[in-house]
Every structure is written in C-alpha cells, then in structure tokens.
Amino acid sequence: MPAPQEFLNYIDANANSFIQRLSDAVAIPSISGDWAHRNDVLAMADWLNGQLQQLGVETQLSDLGRHSMDGHDLPLPPAILGRIGNDANKKTVLIYGHFDVQPANKSDGWDTEPFTLVIDEKTGRLIGRGSSDDKGPILGWLNVLQYHHENKVPLPVNLVFCFEGMEESGSEGLDELVERESKKGGYFDGVDCVCISDNYWLNTRTPALTYGLRGLSYYKVTVSGPARDLHSGVFGRTVHEPMTDLIALLNTLVGPDGNILVPGVDEMVPPADEEEKAIYAKLDYSISDIEQSAGAAIALSSDKVAVLMGRMREPSLSIHGIEGAFSGAGAKTVIPAKVSGKFSIRLVPPQTPALVDPLVIEHLEKEFAKLNTKNTLKIENLHGGKPWVADHRHWNYEAAKRATRAVYNQDPDLTREGGSIPVTLTFAESLGVNVCLLPMGRGDDGAHSTNEKLDRSNFIEGSKLLGSYLYEIADIAK
Amino acid sequence: MPAPQEFLNYIDANANSFIQRLSDAVAIPSISGDWAHRNDVLAMADWLNGQLQQLGVETQLSDLGRHSMDGHDLPLPPAILGRIGNDANKKTVLIYGHFDVQPANKSDGWDTEPFTLVIDEKTGRLIGRGSSDDKGPILGWLNVLQYHHENKVPLPVNLVFCFEGMEESGSEGLDELVERESKKGGYFDGVDCVCISDNYWLNTRTPALTYGLRGLSYYKVTVSGPARDLHSGVFGRTVHEPMTDLIALLNTLVGPDGNILVPGVDEMVPPADEEEKAIYAKLDYSISDIEQSAGAAIALSSDKVAVLMGRMREPSLSIHGIEGAFSGAGAKTVIPAKVSGKFSIRLVPPQTPALVDPLVIEHLEKEFAKLNTKNTLKIENLHGGKPWVADHRHWNYEAAKRATRAVYNQDPDLTREGGSIPVTLTFAESLGVNVCLLPMGRGDDGAHSTNEKLDRSNFIEGSKLLGSYLYEIADIAK
C-alpha cells in the first residue's frame, strides 16, 4: 500500500505554504544553549503545540523542571507529547524531533540573517538556522498531518509524538521522561516502532537510512610531578618530567594507521562478514567524498570499504589535547608540573564503557609502570555512552526502504554514523522496539555550521517520504 | 695581598648607610618589561650614573636607540659605561650588572610593598624587588668604590663598568654595544677579565663561583592534516590524525630517565673524568635540596653526582606543550587540524645550535617517514644560544676563590648553571678574556618571584668579597 497519489499531489500543491510555515518556525530563535533565548524556546514550544492541535493531535506539555545555566535559574522547555489515532488494528509509531536550535549570529560568517528563512531560487536552498536541524523534519510531519486532517483521511497508523527543546544542550530531562513514559500505562506504552529524522544523508545525492551509532568513552589521564611548574634550565635532566611520561603513555594508545593499541579493544569487535561488507561497498560515497569533507587527502586507506567501516562499524581512538601544558604561541621553557591528556574511544557493539574502561585503565597503569618514573598517575573517565545498532531487516526499516524507492526511485544508502544521538539509545532500550533513523537533509546541510540549509526538494520529497513510510508500515504490518 | 683590614672594617661600619642606599635603589620601580615604567628605568640610570660619578668614576651614557613595546615607541634605557683608574701596571677588570628589574605587584602575593625595602630584623632579610637581582650586587661595587674614594686609597685594579637597563627584557641593544666597544680602540679595549654578579649560590650556606651555563635550542614541530578541525565521531578511524602523529614524534625525543633519544646529541658530549666528577661530589647540595626545590621526590637518580651533572654539564630535552590542540578543561571531542609540539634542548659544550639542529631535523624527518602518514611535517627552530664554559683554573677564578676563603672562611662551590645568561657569552666571545660569575645572593632569594630578598649578611659580606676579589687579582697578577 504505497501512499495515495492524492497525498503526493497535495504535498506538491501546498509546497509554498509549507515553506512559509518553515519560515515562521525558523523566525523563532529557539536557541537552547543561550539563557537569554530561553523565552524563544518556550515560544517555539507554544507555536509547535498550537500547530499540532490545529491538525488534530491531542497534546500535552510535559514539565521537565528547572535548571541552571551560566548562573541563571531557568525553566526547562517542556517536552511536547502528542497522540493521534488509537486504532488497535494499526501500528503505533513514535516520532521524535527537537524544536531547539544551535546558536547563530550573522557575524559568525552567515551570508544571510540566520533567523530569516531565505529561499535561494537558483540553488533551491532554504537557508536559515534550524531549517535542516531539526525544524524541517518536524514540519515534514506537520505536512503529512495536514493532508490527512484537511481531507479527513484517516492516518494509516497511530502516531505518538515526542518533541523536545533541549536537544542541542544535552537533552536535559528527556531520558527520565522517556524511561517513565515507556513503562506500562505510560504515554508511550503500546508503541510498535520509533522513527527519528535528525541526521543526514551521506552525500548530496542518495537518500539514506541509518541503523547504527557509535558510543563513546572519554578519558582524562593526568601525570603529576613537581609541586609547581619548573624552569627547564634549572631542572632539565634533574627530575622526572610529567610531559615526557604523558607523551609516552599517549603514544601507546593508537597507531598512525588508526589501529587501537590498547589490548582487547579492537579485538572485542567481530569482523564484518561478506554480507555486511557488501553494504559498505554499495554506499554512494567515495574516498574523494571523505577527503573533500576533511579538506585534505588524508584518508587512512584507498579502500573505500575499509575507510567507511573505520567510520561506521569500528571503534576509533582520538587524542584531543593536553590540559596543563604550554599551549600558547611562541616559546616558553617551562616544565609543566601537572599535565592531563584527553582522549576518547568511539565504541561499537558489543563494546560498552563498562567493558572498555577496565582495559584502558589496566593498559595505562601497566605502561606507566614500565616508565619507572617517580611521577604519579591518575585516570578518569569523564563521560561515556553505549553504541547502538538496529536490525535493518526489521519491518520498520523495510517500510522506510520501500518508501524511499517509491519517492526517490532508488535504494537508500544503509548507513551507520560515527557519532552519537543519545536519545536513540534511550528509546531503543526503554521501549524495546526497533528505531529507524530516517534523515530528511543532505550531508552538506551544515547543521551546526554557518549558512545551514535544507534543499527545497529534500523538504518537499522528504515530506512525501515520511508520509509514504507510514503507509508502507501499515501495508507490511497488515 | 688580601684586602686591607681597613676596607673590611669600613664595610662593617657603614653597613646601615649601604642598606639605606639599597633602599633608595629599590624604591625606583625600574621594570624594563612594562612600557608604563620606562621613565622609572631612565630615572634609575640617572640615579646610578650620579652615584658612580660621586665616587670618582668617569661615566658616559650610551644611547641604544628606540624600540617598540606593546604598541608604544620607547627610548631604550642607556647603558652606563664607566672607568676608574688607568694604570698600565694594573689589571683592568670589567664589571657587568643590570639596574632594571622584573615586574612586581603586592597583589602577586608579596607580603610587603615590593618597591619599599623592608628590613626583617629577625631573619636579616632585605626584602624588595631588585634587592638581589641585580641592584644589591651593583651596590656592592658602589660600596667598594666608596671606601677607596672617601679614604683616597687607590683601587688595586683598573675598573671598567657596563651596566644595562634591559636585562629582564632580552638585553636589547647590548650585544651590539659590547661587540663594538670590545674592538681595538673601543671602550672595553684592554680589559683583562670580566666579573658578573648576577646569579646565586646553589644553596643558602655556601658561596659559589659559576664557570658554565647551558645553551638552548628551541623547536616547534608542526603536523598538519585536515583543512579544519574535525569531529571525532565523523572522522575517527577515517583519516590520519595530526595529534596521533605528533605524539609519536614527541615520544622519540627523550626517555623517562632524561636520556636524549635523538641520535648523536648525548653522544656529542665527552663524559666527565674523575677530576670533574670530584667537583660535583664536593658541591654542598643534596638530592633532598633538589627535591625540596621541585616540591616532590622526583629526582632522576639517588646519585647526587649524576643528578647535578644532569643539570650542569649534560644536555637536557624538555617537552613544553602543544599549540593547536584542545587545552581547556572538560571534554571536547575534536580532531585538531594542525598541532605544534614545542620542545627545547639545553646545550653544553661542544654542542651548539648549529651542530645540534641538523641532528634534530634529520631525526624527526626519519621518524615521521616511519609513520607512513599522509599528514605533513614542518620543523622550525624558534631561537637558540650557545653554551658557555670558562676555565675555572684561570687567575680570575683563583682570585675569586681566594677572596671567598678570606671573607667566608670556606671554599666556594664550583658550579655550572642549567640556564642561560646570554651576555656572559657575548663578553667572553667579544673580548676573548676569562669571565667569572661571582654571585652575591643565596639560592632562595626568589629573584623573579614574590618576596625577593637579599640577606643582610650576603650584602655586607658580599661587598667585602667583591673588594677582596679585586685585591686578590692584583696580588696574583703582580
């Protein structure tokens, strides 16, 4: 049961008014990370809540309490919970999105006012903060709702919404809400699958479905020696220097080829079989795409499958920097007294912080002992999160694949992302159902950057995709 | 010919007026590194010039031109050149000192006003900025001059003075002056030896003579990769990371035991023979002195001779920090695009920057090639200076040793310093004569720190020492 032609036509016919609605949404500078904009985030919640209600969704605002930001005591933006349809014969799909945005000032390097949606007729770009992350996708759902509401066509599935206003600031309060409402009798009880549209295609050409995210474990390893910084003229070759020891430790973590040298970490991940490798071989993404994105020809390999697997299904270890050492310009002849190396490991299943941390700590302690130094070592884990991988053969993905073929006339790229979207794991674990990441925007949208945009065709075809996905679910789950 | 008893008595009898004169000198905040205090440095030059003239020294102010500091065009303080005595049968001794001081504010943590000399009757400390570095020693020479001037006693040697006001700010203009005036017919032509009192005893107990200083070569090694900082989620295990490569390079430089791993650097220095080792064994300085000074039990060895040789007669390599990496508090998951490691090597004869730099560059390039990375390497030498060692059996040192025994009733520690006093090398090379570093203050004077002090006994006995040294020269050179 593909989406009815009337639906597809309706989306095309109303494209301009949909873009106007996106313009209204972008005009509210709902920056969650700036206390001075908190009222704008609250105004955005009101606006979105009103839109949902007008389109027949029963909503409630879930108070998430207060928090402190830069010395200001502030109300957290409420989460918007919504529901439309309650037919026991239909699947119930939970839709997540966020209505807050990253900060933006024209002076950051924007070509246009960031909170005024600009339609570039030549390129078809809809330019403005939040256009792609994540107001465009949320409004895609509104577009789907509008067709059914105006035409009194019943939705093919029951929908439950969870929209938050703190995603760009750590999703404060959301985990507790999701865990609570996922329990028996909670708001999310009975949800059959989850769809999140908050990431991007690999490239600018090919729609994608994302079925994995890496986790993270972030470490701070501190070597301390003298009571204060020392002069290298007076103390050079006299005392154990903390920097020498720290550099030696950091050098035992990862090879120049990206291989993780901490025993047991790489080994924890089973190798890809031929079927999995075929997924990467099929992806519409090349070494030159990667190198263009990095701005230099520095890919670890010329083998596309190897490089894509390195990003998507293998752990990685990056050394981010050193706290406490001389970091300015010029030449300072200091022996720093206490230096902390910062590094993190991106995790993939079956790795978890709980499994990897002991390996890292044991390794560092062993290597430190080898140095035979009189300095002291301290290892801290600053934060961590588990990786997530979904079954991409599940009917939730099958529906998304069929919808993609119907709207875009091509197979989607099946991707895993190197970074994290923590709420994904929260939904997957709390609800115990399949979660599908169904991106609307392209890889070059510049979500957290200047001149963020959503292509007009991604907004309009993307709205068709979201609606079609619901019809395909209804069809498969018949 | 030890110093006449009348001279020694005169110094004791006039101690209080000498301390008053030191108080007058400290009261002028002649901070060369702060443009707002430049007039104070000029006032200090006037004051010192007046003192010298009153004590019978013919002087001239040598204009060193102008320079720019923090956007201000300023006159450089003049160097004061002075001469007293012109007897062809006497040795001519050049005395160097500097009348500028380090910055100081009470709010830095001083217990007293830094530019008010405070006499602590309990401890005998004369507390104030410049008391030890270097106004006390300069005034020691004035005390010697005063005895001879007031009592119409001819000095045992001819004296030539060179006092500058930019030592704490890189001695701008001085090298050129010294080189020019050292030539035939120049102001310093005919000088037989140099005495500089601008360093410190090893400890708080034992007078010292210093016959060596380490040189320095400072390096910046930069690894560049991507065009901009990357997100470790997206690019981890996808590209060659500059931090990984830089850490690997820095790890090839020095061992945790202080041994320099750059081939040829340590090997360039001949080992100490038994006679030289005996000098270090004799020094009144222990491992616990070093560890107390560092604030932790982190000496590289429990063998005092090994540790002191590490500081004084061996090269050392210290890693100071990294520019361009994440250096703040907290956890940031960045892959820095361009990172620069800063390290320096303290040099000892026969090492020079010209001899060591090629070894360092060749080594880094070789190690970088081994990494097989696509990132790029750049090696820069930010600055350098040659080491200096004098013949401590020369009559200049012999005179200083005899004077020390006469005043302090003990042999001086024969020391080499781990840091640099660049003007020492300039005098040694320009004049081609022996230079002796004859410190007045103790190892705990806190020259560049808060609560700088000179002990009353070091000022008074030190004045006797300087005078006695001149008599001993006259005696030896008879």
Side-chain angles (χ1 to χ4, degrees), chain A residues 359-377:
Chain A
L359 298 178
V360 171
I361 292 167
E362 188 193 1
H363 170 74
L364 286 172
E365 286 176 346
K366 209 165 136 189
E367 292 295 328
F368 191 71
K370 282 188 201 164
L371 298 179
N372 210 10
T373 173
K374 293 177 185 165
N375 292 321
T376 57
L377 176 71

Side-chain angles (χ1 to χ4, degrees), chain B residues 15-25 47 117 119 139 459:
Chain B
N16 288 342
S17 77
F18 294 157
I19 292 169
Q20 180 55 51
R21 179 157 57 199
L22 182 59
S23 179
D24 294 346
W47 182 91
L117 191 77
I119 304 162
L139 268 65
F459 186 46

Side-chain angles (χ1 to χ4, degrees), chain A residues 214 216 218 225-228 230-241 243-245 247-248 250-251 254-260 266 290-302 306-307 310-311 314-336 342 344 346 371 373-375 382-383 417-419, chain B residues 214 216 218 225-228 230-241 243-245 247-248 250-251 254-260 266 290-302 306-307 310-311 314-336 342 344 346 371 373-375 382-383 417-419:
Chain A
R214 292 198 287 195
L216 179 76
Y218 199 109
R228 63 203 75 86
L230 302 177
H231 186 289
S232 69
V234 180
F235 286 94
R237 207 156 189 163
T238 299
V239 296
H240 290 281
E241 300 190 14
M243 265 300 267
T244 307
D245 297 341
I247 294 289
L250 295 179
N251 191 52
V254 60
D257 51 7
N259 287 338
I260 299 177
D266 270 352
I290 288 168
E291 294 190 331
Q292 200 177 328
S293 168
I298 53 172
L300 283 171
S301 161
S302 57
V307 172
R311 165 172 164 178
E314 281 168 19
S316 65
L317 192 154
S318 296
I319 303 169
H320 308 297
I322 295 175
E323 181 182 348
F326 171 50
S327 61
K332 201 172 156 185
T333 56
V334 67
I335 297 175
K342 311 280 183 75
S344 65
R346 299 277 168 179
L371 298 179
T373 173
K374 293 177 185 165
N375 292 321
L382 296 192
H383 66 83
E417 289 218 349
Chain B
R214 291 199 288 196
L216 180 76
Y218 199 108
R228 62 201 77 84
L230 302 177
H231 187 288
S232 69
V234 181
F235 285 94
R237 206 156 189 162
T238 299
V239 296
H240 289 281
E241 300 190 15
M243 265 301 267
T244 306
D245 297 342
I247 294 289
L250 295 179
N251 192 51
V254 59
D257 51 6
N259 287 338
I260 298 177
D266 269 354
I290 288 168
E291 294 190 331
Q292 201 177 329
S293 168
I298 53 172
L300 284 171
S301 160
S302 57
V307 172
R311 165 171 165 179
E314 281 167 19
S316 66
L317 192 153
S318 296
I319 303 169
H320 308 299
I322 295 175
E323 182 182 346
F326 171 51
S327 62
K332 201 173 155 183
T333 56
V334 67
I335 298 175
K342 312 279 182 76
S344 65
R346 299 276 168 179
L371 298 179
T373 173
K374 294 178 186 162
N375 291 321
L382 296 192
H383 66 82
E417 290 218 350

Side-chain angles (χ1 to χ4, degrees), chain B residues 2 8 207-209 282 392 397-414 438 461 464-465 468-469 472 476:
Chain B
L8 304 174
L209 301 182
K282 210 182 147 193
H392 57 77
Y397 279 84
E398 196 52 44
K401 287 176 205 167
R402 289 191 196 174
T404 304
R405 279 184 219 114
V407 172
Y408 286 103
N409 205 25
Q410 60 181 314
D411 284 330
D413 273 340
L414 262 182
L438 180 57
E461 301 307 304
K464 295 178 189 172
L465 174 69
S468 299
Y469 158 71
E472 297 293 352
I476 294 174

Side-chain angles (χ1 to χ4, degrees), chain B residues 440-474:
Chain B
M440 174 180 270
R442 300 183 185 179
D444 66 347
D445 279 0
H448 288 200
S449 182
T450 54
N451 301 316
E452 177 182 348
K453 58 86 182 172
L454 178 66
D455 290 86
R456 188 185 197 280
S457 68
N458 282 57
F459 186 46
I460 300 307
E461 301 307 304
S463 296
K464 295 178 189 172
L465 174 69
L466 298 179
S468 299
Y469 158 71
L470 301 182
Y471 280 94
E472 297 293 352
I473 286 180

